[in-house]
Amino acid sequence: MGNNDTKLLESLLNAPVSGRILSKDMDKFVKDCCSGEKPPCRCACPLDLDIVALNTKLQKGNFNSAYTMYRDKVLFPGIVSRICDQPCCSACVRKGIDDSIDMLKLEKAIVEYTRSTMPVKYNIPKKSKKIAILGAGLCGLSCTIKLASHGYDVSIFEKSDRVGGKLWGLLSPEIFIAEIENQMQYLNYDLKLYTEVETIGELKDDFDAVLIATGKDGESFGMLEGLNRDSLGSLQAGIFLA
């Protein structure tokens, strides 16, 4: 992004209501911004959702295609569409004219109007690598979908008696449990409830990699010391923090 575009973006985000730029200038910026580089909204999304492409599908009424794109990124559309805090809105260049796009409403519409929310079932050859995931919250379950759908042998260790983690304080269990069961119905994985792992050493001999998805409790495993912020790998080979 060039200096002129950067200045234009700053004017879009900081201009007072009475002095906002004309729509033709906005069109020019959007065209330049989306040419060869990620637009600001996508950069702000922690899941790297291509919001421009998604909205293009919605404008054409392609809800099924939009759902497929959305599901591939968020993994649990029926959950994320209810709890997304829309970080993309703070970066939306449309704010320079009127207001940012209300993505949460669009996300809900994608889930509501798609023809089917059933996941695609693939016949993936089984891999020999075994992965242990600590924590059956949204993060741990999302990692399970990614790994199990690629054929890895996944075991989830959850110290409580239920999956969902912090979702229990955010949504009705009737909503998120049904979505978890729906999106994971074709996957092969081993869920171990009432199973607390106190040290990583307990798993090293039986698994090729361990992914810690327990939130702040990752610190208790010594994960923050020597953590590679780029790869989220640690000084311990095969140990990762989600």
Side-chain angles (χ1 to χ4, degrees):
M1 186 179 294
N3 291 333
N4 291 335
D5 289 334
T6 301
K7 292 179 180 179
L8 182 54
L9 175 58
E10 291 176 351
S11 70
L12 286 173
L13 298 179
N14 300 324
V17 175
S18 60
R20 289 180 175 175
I21 64 174
L22 299 175
S23 60
K24 63 181 180 65
D25 295 322
M26 172 66 84
D27 291 340
K28 176 185 181 303
F29 174 77
V30 171
K31 181 179 179 180
D32 293 341
C33 175
C34 300
S35 178
E37 293 187 42
K38 291 183 181 180
C41 55
R42 183 174 180 180
C43 292
C45 177
L47 299 177
D48 191 37
L49 182 63
D50 191 341
I51 296 169
V52 173
L54 189 71
N55 286 337
T56 298
K57 293 180 182 295
L58 292 176
Q59 286 178 328
K60 296 178 180 179
N62 296 335
F63 284 92
N64 298 327
S65 179
Y67 179 84
T68 299
M69 175 183 288
Y70 184 63
R71 194 269 178 188
D72 285 346
K73 285 294 185 180
V74 307
L75 303 179
F76 292 103
I79 295 174
V80 177
S81 63
R82 288 178 166 86
I83 64 174
C84 177
D85 58 359
Q86 308 180 87
C88 56
C89 290
S90 62
C92 182
V93 297
R94 187 181 173 87
K95 290 169 63 176
I97 294 180
D98 41 37
D99 201 358
S100 59
I101 295 174
D102 191 335
M103 274 304 298
L104 191 60
K105 289 182 178 179
L106 294 179
E107 291 174 68
K108 290 179 179 178
I110 290 171
V111 176
E112 181 177 353
Y113 293 111
T114 187
R115 184 179 299 114
S116 173
T117 60
M118 293 289 288
V120 178
K121 184 177 182 180
Y122 296 104
N123 186 18
I124 303 296
K126 193 76 172 178
K127 290 182 171 63
S128 60
K129 299 293 185 180
K130 299 178 65 177
I131 313 295
I133 295 179
L134 308 188
L138 187 59
C139 179
L141 296 177
S142 296
C143 293
T144 299
I145 286 184
K146 283 290 189 180
L147 292 167
S149 63
H150 283 80
Y152 288 99
D153 186 349
V154 178
S155 294
I156 310 172
F157 295 83
E158 170 57 48
K159 67 179 181 180
S160 73
D161 62 343
R162 60 193 186 184
V163 301
K166 293 182 179 179
L167 289 175
W168 285 89
L170 298 173
L171 295 173
S172 166
E174 287 79 9
I175 293 175
F176 70 80
I177 292 296
E179 175 69 353
I180 290 171
E181 291 177 347
N182 178 44
Q183 298 300 338
M184 301 184 72
Q185 61 181 300
Y186 297 136
L187 301 177
N188 293 316
Y189 60 93
D190 184 17
L191 174 61
K192 302 177 184 293
L193 298 176
Y194 298 103
T195 307
E196 182 174 5
V197 177
E198 296 183 352
T199 65
I200 299 299
E202 300 175 37
L203 305 173
K204 280 188 173 181
D205 292 337
D206 297 322
F207 294 91
D208 297 285
V210 178
L211 190 146
I212 301 174
T214 55
K216 64 179 181 180
D217 292 332
E219 185 175 1
S220 64
F221 293 101
M223 286 298 298
L224 300 186
E225 182 179 353
L227 177 68
N228 185 321
R229 296 293 178 179
D230 294 324
S231 68
L232 295 185
S234 70
L235 294 178
Q236 307 175 60
I239 311 299
F240 300 89
L241 181 65

